[in-house]
Amino acid sequence: MNDQVTLVNLDDFQLHYEHIADFDNGASPTGDVIINLIDAANHAVQAGMNACDLILASEQCAKPEAYLQGARFSFNVSSSPLGLVIGYDGVNIDE
């Protein structure tokens, strides 16, 4: 696998994350989250997994009462000869 990364539905993830995250209460900037997501997805693929989740703690959500256990952003991950592929599946209330 080469070092290329393809991010599918990145715009949707950015919109959801920036709408839900409360940056004044410690939520990481979107760019930092994406860099860490790529690293986590790479480790997941190397471990034979095909999914990776990002959980934003409720206290880092703009509406913590709506995400009592945090907001969970789900991604599918895979590798190909062209590199790492990360696809945003959506956000769920983590219950």
Side-chain angles (χ1 to χ4, degrees):
M1 182 170 78
N2 67 32
D3 292 335
Q4 181 174 332
V5 177
T6 302
L7 300 166
V8 180
N9 294 329
L10 178 62
D11 289 344
D12 290 342
F13 167 69
Q14 286 180 293
L15 287 171
H16 291 157
Y17 182 80
E18 291 173 359
H19 177 74
I20 293 170
D22 185 347
F23 300 105
D24 292 332
N25 279 327
S28 296
T30 309
D32 291 348
V33 170
I34 292 170
I35 290 169
N36 290 329
L37 171 65
I38 292 168
D39 186 50
N42 190 40
H43 288 293
V45 166
Q46 289 176 3
M49 296 184 282
N50 63 1
C52 183
D53 286 351
L54 163 72
I55 299 175
L56 184 64
S58 63
E59 59 269 8
Q60 295 177 334
C61 294
K63 296 181 180 176
E65 65 280 358
Y67 300 95
L68 295 176
Q69 299 300 313
R72 184 182 53 186
F73 300 87
S74 298
F75 301 86
N76 60 68
V77 297
S78 63
S79 65
S80 75
L82 299 176
L84 181 65
V85 178
I86 304 171
Y88 177 59
D89 288 332
V91 63
N92 300 298
I93 297 174
D94 192 28
E95 299 183 40

